[in-house]
């Protein structure tokens, strides 16, 4: 039974919380007083196939309890995916403020425990090679999560709050993309190890960083928005991003940094720079290119290391601009490169925010309206782009500007979990003026607070993927060690022949 006064008290405590732990305690109390805690305990719901989930949970528990390792492996082989019985339905996370149906949480935790059990199994009944093959296939089928940070000019500081919350909860995905302002913070997250990030997100260090950045921003805009101080931009990037190539960054952190850039000239295609497609490109130059807003900051030539480790221009005949114009949230490319099928979006793009609707937190009317508006926008963009290319060839500047505009309209700006900046009139003003340290800290704080209600959904939705990634990392290291031992044995047995792994 709902207790309205206690519900309101819990809501006030949530608003006053200064840490995620304080917010989570208040949210659980809110669910208790509002009746949502009872909703979580009830298995039945029209939002998912609770019968299938319950049956699979019982099977997994039975196999482990009876020591039936073959049966457990067979059952897991039947399918591990995040939307079994529609348990990935976003609306299942719009009821309670903390978590979802207990049955879903128990089922996911049982899968995670079963995977760990098989990984640690010391038995000849299921060989190492058989288990490795299973984990590789399971990871491929299950897919992985990615964090996508949109463009947003000065509003991009919101991303810091999002990253801080995910790092503190050990939920930062290994695949991260960024465009424009988002590129800077994606690069920061993907080039620094966990200890360095934790130190940066210390509140005292954040305040110092905000003051330093505010000083840089003043320099940035001193000549007016038409005369941005290039050195100030470079200095800001260099403070946050180590001087690494994409490949070097991956070797350091194990994270895949992806930076979106847009073409400056006609007949070029947008690109997504990362350790797979452009391993030797310097990340700092990619961030600089992705933040090059046309008319405000000049287009950028990428820099890369050659085979001797010397820095030189990369594709010297090409220049690049703001990545958010062509691929703010590069979901399709991440899916193709890394098998990503689950997207966490931090959205600060000022062109999109007034129309942004989170499907998980909106009414059916808003969701239908949003889908309709997106459909109209895409059709308008396609028609407009064709007309522009047909009739404005003699006016290249106008053609280029309109093409960029239509590209913005045609993009998709939502993911599976959406963390959306709450745009206010004062935020629009911030885009074209100096930003004070206090305003920066407010944006960072808002990024944290908007992320907190999504943390448990992220934890639950990414749990199996994170377990599989950890197991595979460990198993692949063991496989390399076994291969190395095999090479040594082969060399001793036949020293005249070149060592071959067996």
């Amino acid at each position: 039974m709902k207790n309205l006064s206690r519900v309101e008290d819990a809501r006030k405590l949530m608003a006053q919380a200064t840490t995620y732990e304080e917010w989570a305690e208040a949210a659980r109390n809110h669910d208790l007083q509002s009746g949502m805690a009872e909703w979580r305990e009830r298995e039945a719901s029209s939002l998912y196939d609770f019968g299938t989930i319950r049956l699979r949970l019982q099977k997994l528990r039975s196999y482990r309890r009876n020591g039936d390792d073959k049966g457990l492996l067979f059952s897991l082989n039947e399918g591990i995916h995040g939307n079994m019985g529609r348990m990935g339905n976003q609306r299942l996370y719009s009821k309670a403020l903390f978590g979802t149906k207990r049955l879903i949480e128990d089922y996911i935790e049982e899968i995670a425990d079963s995977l760990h059990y098989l990984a640690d199994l010391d038995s000849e009944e299921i060989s190492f090679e058989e288990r490795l093959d299973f984990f590789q296939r399971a990871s491929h089928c299950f897919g992985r999560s990615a964090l996508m940070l949109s463009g947003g000019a000065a509003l991009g500081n919101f991303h810091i709050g999002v990253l801080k919350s995910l790092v503190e909860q050990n939920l930062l995905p290994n695949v991260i993309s960024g465009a424009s302002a988002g590129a800077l913070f994606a690069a920061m997250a993907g080039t620094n190890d966990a200890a360095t990030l934790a130190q940066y997100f210390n509140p005292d260090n954040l305040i110092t960083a905000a003051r330093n950045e505010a000083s840089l921003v003043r320099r940035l805009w001193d000549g007016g928005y038409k005369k941005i101080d290039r050195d100030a931009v470079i200095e800001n990037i260099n403070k946050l991003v180590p001087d690494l190539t994409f490949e070097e960054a991956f070797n350091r952190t194990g994270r895949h940094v992806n930076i979106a850039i847009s073409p400056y000239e006609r007949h070029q295609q947008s690109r997504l720079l990362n350790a797979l497609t452009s391993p030797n490109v310097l990340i700092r130059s990619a961030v600089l290119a992705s933040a090059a807003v046309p008319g405000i900051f000049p287009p950028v030539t990428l820099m890369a290391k050659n085979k001797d480790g010397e820095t030189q221009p990369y594709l010297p005949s090409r220049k690049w601009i703001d990545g958010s114009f062509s691929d703010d949230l590069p979901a399709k490319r991440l899916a193709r490169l890394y098998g990503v099928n689950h997207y966490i979006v931090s959205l600060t793009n000022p062109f999109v925010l007034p129309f942004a609707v989170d499907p998980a937190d909106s009414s059916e009317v808003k969701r239908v309206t949003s889908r309709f508006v997106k459909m109209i926008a895409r059709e308008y963009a396609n028609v407009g782009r064709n007309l522009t290319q047909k009739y404005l060839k003699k006016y290249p500047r106008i053609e280029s500007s309109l093409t960029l505009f239509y590209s913005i309209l045609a993009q998709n700006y939502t993911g599976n979990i959406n963390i959306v900046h709450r745009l206010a009139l004062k935020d629009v003003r911030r885009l074209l003026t100096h930003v004070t340290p206090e305003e920066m800290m407010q944006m960072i704080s808002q990024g944290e607070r908007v992320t907190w209600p999504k943390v448990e959904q992220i934890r639950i939705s990414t749990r199996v993927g994170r377990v599989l990634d950890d197991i595979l990392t460990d198993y692949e290291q063991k496989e390399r060690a076994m291969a190395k031992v095999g090479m040594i044995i082969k060399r001793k047995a036949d020293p005249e022949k070149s060592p071959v792994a067996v």
Side-chain angles (χ1 to χ4, degrees):
M1 177 129 182
K2 185 182 291 188
N3 187 318
L4 293 179
S5 63
R6 292 184 179 179
V7 167
E8 187 57 32
D9 289 342
R11 194 171 291 280
K12 287 178 182 177
L13 288 174
M14 289 165 58
Q16 295 167 2
T18 58
T19 66
Y20 174 70
E21 286 69 29
E22 290 178 3
W23 182 91
E25 183 179 354
R28 283 192 290 262
N29 187 39
H30 183 284
D31 287 341
L32 184 64
Q33 304 303 332
S34 67
M36 284 298 105
E38 293 180 13
W39 176 87
R40 291 186 65 211
E41 298 299 329
R42 287 196 304 269
E43 293 182 357
S45 172
S46 61
L47 296 176
Y48 75 120
D49 185 353
F50 58 91
T52 295
I53 301 300
R54 187 201 307 120
L55 181 61
R56 287 190 61 80
L57 174 60
Q58 291 170 347
K59 277 187 176 182
L60 292 176
R61 284 175 171 171
S62 174
Y63 287 133
R64 278 215 299 153
R65 185 169 55 248
N66 297 323
D68 186 353
D69 301 337
K70 282 284 189 180
L72 180 64
L73 181 62
F74 182 84
S75 182
L76 290 172
N77 256 317
E78 287 182 329
I80 300 178
H81 57 79
N83 202 27
M84 173 70 69
R86 295 198 71 231
M87 68 178 187
N89 186 347
Q90 294 183 49
R91 293 177 63 193
L92 284 164
Y93 294 88
S94 64
K95 303 291 185 181
L97 295 182
F98 189 89
T100 185
K101 290 288 189 182
R102 182 77 63 189
L103 175 63
I104 293 175
E105 295 179 15
D106 288 346
Y107 174 58
I108 288 174
E109 198 58 35
E110 182 61 33
I111 291 177
D113 289 344
S114 296
L115 291 171
H116 280 304
Y117 172 81
L118 286 174
D120 298 336
L121 195 62
D122 185 14
S123 168
E124 295 182 359
E125 187 179 13
I126 305 175
S127 69
F128 174 86
E129 290 76 12
E130 190 177 354
R131 281 177 283 156
L132 175 60
D133 176 67
F134 160 70
F135 290 129
Q136 288 173 335
R137 284 186 291 105
S139 179
H140 177 75
C141 294
F142 186 84
R144 50 184 41 86
S145 298
L147 173 65
M148 301 191 292
L149 308 178
S150 79
L155 301 183
N157 288 284
F158 174 89
H159 295 316
I160 297 178
V162 176
L163 289 168
K164 181 175 183 291
S165 296
L166 296 180
V167 167
E168 288 176 346
Q169 297 300 315
N170 196 27
L171 293 174
L172 186 65
N174 286 332
V175 179
I176 309 170
S177 77
S180 194
L184 174 61
F185 300 114
M188 179 189 74
T191 55
N192 292 287
D193 58 30
T196 304
L197 287 177
Q199 185 178 9
Y200 177 83
F201 291 137
N202 177 283
D204 292 336
N205 292 338
L206 276 180
I207 292 171
T208 301
R211 288 172 181 158
N212 293 338
E213 189 174 337
S215 175
L216 280 171
V217 170
R218 280 195 294 274
R219 278 178 52 197
L220 200 68
W221 295 98
D222 274 346
Y225 79 92
K226 292 285 188 182
K227 299 178 181 178
I228 277 191
D229 186 339
R230 179 185 173 96
D231 291 338
V233 177
I234 294 173
E235 183 180 338
N236 196 27
I237 293 172
N238 291 352
K239 279 189 173 184
L240 294 176
V241 182
D243 189 18
L244 300 170
T245 66
F246 282 96
E247 184 175 48
E248 290 168 345
F250 174 73
N251 291 336
R252 172 186 282 197
T253 68
R255 297 195 190 96
H256 297 278
V257 188
N258 294 264
I259 305 297
I261 56 175
S262 301
Y264 177 63
E265 295 96 349
R266 291 181 62 187
H267 308 304
Q268 280 182 255
Q269 298 293 321
S270 63
R271 296 193 64 172
L272 189 65
L273 305 171
N274 49 60
L276 297 177
T277 63
S278 47
N280 300 315
V281 169
L282 290 164
I283 294 180
R284 286 176 173 178
S285 75
V287 173
L288 189 65
S290 190
V293 180
I296 298 178
F297 195 90
V300 172
T301 299
L302 296 171
M303 302 300 290
K305 289 184 178 180
N306 63 17
K307 61 182 178 61
D308 298 315
E310 300 165 339
T311 300
Q312 62 181 26
Y314 180 79
L315 301 175
S317 63
R318 299 296 188 189
K319 292 185 180 295
W320 307 90
I321 58 173
D322 193 320
S324 63
F325 284 110
S326 60
D327 214 358
D328 202 17
L329 303 175
K332 291 182 179 178
R333 285 173 168 168
L334 296 180
R336 187 167 63 248
L337 289 169
Y338 307 107
V340 172
N341 58 3
H342 184 262
Y343 302 92
I344 304 164
V345 172
S346 178
L347 187 63
T348 61
N349 192 318
F351 296 107
V352 180
L353 285 177
F355 314 101
V357 172
D358 184 355
D361 298 331
S362 304
S363 66
E364 184 64 28
V365 173
K366 284 187 177 180
R367 287 194 292 270
V368 172
T369 302
S370 175
R371 286 196 293 267
F372 179 74
V373 170
K374 288 176 184 176
M375 181 183 70
I376 295 297
R378 289 196 185 100
E379 289 301 317
Y380 175 73
N382 291 333
V383 172
R385 188 186 291 113
N386 292 335
L387 291 175
T388 297
Q389 292 173 352
K390 185 174 181 180
Y391 294 108
L392 294 177
K393 290 181 180 179
K394 295 181 180 179
Y395 308 97
R397 289 191 177 182
I398 298 176
E399 180 192 6
S400 177
S401 298
L402 286 175
T403 299
L404 289 175
F405 171 71
Y406 292 133
S407 179
I408 292 173
L409 281 184
Q411 295 181 54
N412 182 29
Y413 292 95
T414 57
N416 300 95
I417 299 175
N418 302 287
I419 304 169
V420 182
H421 187 288
R422 294 164 185 162
L423 187 68
L425 185 59
K426 62 182 180 180
D427 294 322
V428 178
R429 178 183 59 81
R430 285 171 178 164
L431 294 173
L432 299 175
T433 61
H434 296 165
V435 181
T436 67
E438 292 73 23
E439 288 173 328
M440 287 185 182
M441 290 304 295
Q442 286 173 8
M443 279 186 273
I444 293 170
S445 178
Q446 187 191 141
E448 282 190 89
R449 303 191 70 83
V450 176
T451 305
W452 289 345
K454 306 288 186 179
V455 164
E456 290 310 304
Q457 183 180 2
I458 293 170
R459 194 190 313 278
I460 295 166
S461 302
T462 63
R463 175 79 167 116
V464 173
R466 287 182 286 114
V467 168
L468 284 168
D469 282 348
D470 290 345
I471 290 174
L472 271 178
T473 298
D474 182 50
Y475 262 53
E476 286 167 357
Q477 288 175 349
K478 289 180 180 177
E479 186 184 35
R480 286 192 292 271
M482 291 167 65
K484 200 173 286 186
V485 170
M487 287 167 52
I488 293 172
I489 293 173
K490 185 73 174 177
R491 190 184 301 120
K492 287 180 178 178
D494 195 352
E496 298 299 321
K497 294 184 179 180
S498 300
V500 178
V502 294

